[in-house]
Amino acid sequence: MSRWPEAASEGQPRPAAFPKTCRLLRTDEYSSVFAFRKALKSRHFLLHYRPQQAVEAAGARLGLVVAKRFLRRSVDRNLLRRLAREEFRLLRVDLVSHDLVLRLAVKPSALDRKAMAQEIRRLLCKLASPQP
């Protein structure tokens, strides 16, 4: 029996889920995004991005980098990852086919859940909006 009653059938992800096809999993995938050298910056984050090739285009994919030197407690690092995944999950349909790596670049003075989620959402929306 499925834990999610709204799932159509076993083996099919829920429409708003965060399946493996939407994640960056391998080191070379992260490396290719960093090598492309395009990024959007906010107060605490850098959002590195690379357009996907036509062959591999399957929607936006997300990778996360939250260094221990900025957030010592694993609870805080995991909270930040959960917030980022949730914002990406909600905005995924609006994003073009890019590989994205969200990286914490500055140690936050206070870990405010709402402020961090809003900052991540703004970065993702910048990427979703048409650029001149």
Side-chain angles (χ1 to χ4, degrees), residues 5 13 21 24 28 31 47-48 51 54 61 76 79 83 85 94 97 101 105 111:
T21 57
L24 294 180
D28 63 330
S31 298
L47 180 65
H48 300 270
R61 299 187 307 165
D76 296 335
L79 170 67
L83 291 172
R85 285 184 193 120
D94 299 329
S97 293
V101 175
L111 198 59

Side-chain angles (χ1 to χ4, degrees), residues 101-118:
V101 175
L102 183 70
R103 182 170 68 94
L104 183 65
V106 178
K107 180 178 182 174
S109 55
L111 198 59
D112 182 18
R113 204 181 269 244
K114 287 183 181 180
M116 290 293 178
Q118 187 176 24

Side-chain angles (χ1 to χ4, degrees), residues 5 10 12 16 23 30 35 43 46 65 77 81 87 99-100 103 116 126:
E10 214 55 37
Q12 295 233 352
R23 303 178 198 173
Y30 279 86
R43 183 174 176 200
L46 279 172
V65 178
R77 292 193 305 273
R81 287 185 191 110
E87 293 303 324
D99 286 342
L100 310 171
R103 182 170 68 94
M116 290 293 178
K126 268 188 201 177

Side-chain angles (χ1 to χ4, degrees), residues 17-35:
F18 187 58
K20 277 194 172 185
T21 57
C22 296
R23 303 178 198 173
L24 294 180
L25 300 172
R26 299 186 326 231
T27 304
D28 63 330
E29 293 171 340
Y30 279 86
S31 298
S32 68
V33 175
F34 288 130

Side-chain angles (χ1 to χ4, degrees), residues 61-76:
R61 299 187 307 165
L62 178 69
L64 298 167
V65 178
V66 183
K68 192 187 279 190
R69 68 180 173 158
F70 295 131
L71 290 174
R72 296 297 299 169
R73 296 177 3 158
S74 62
V75 173
D76 296 335

Side-chain angles (χ1 to χ4, degrees), residues 35-49:
F36 192 68
R37 301 182 62 87
K38 295 284 186 179
L40 298 173
K41 187 175 180 167
S42 71
R43 183 174 176 200
H44 296 104
F45 298 99
L46 279 172
L47 180 65
H48 300 270
Y49 62 94

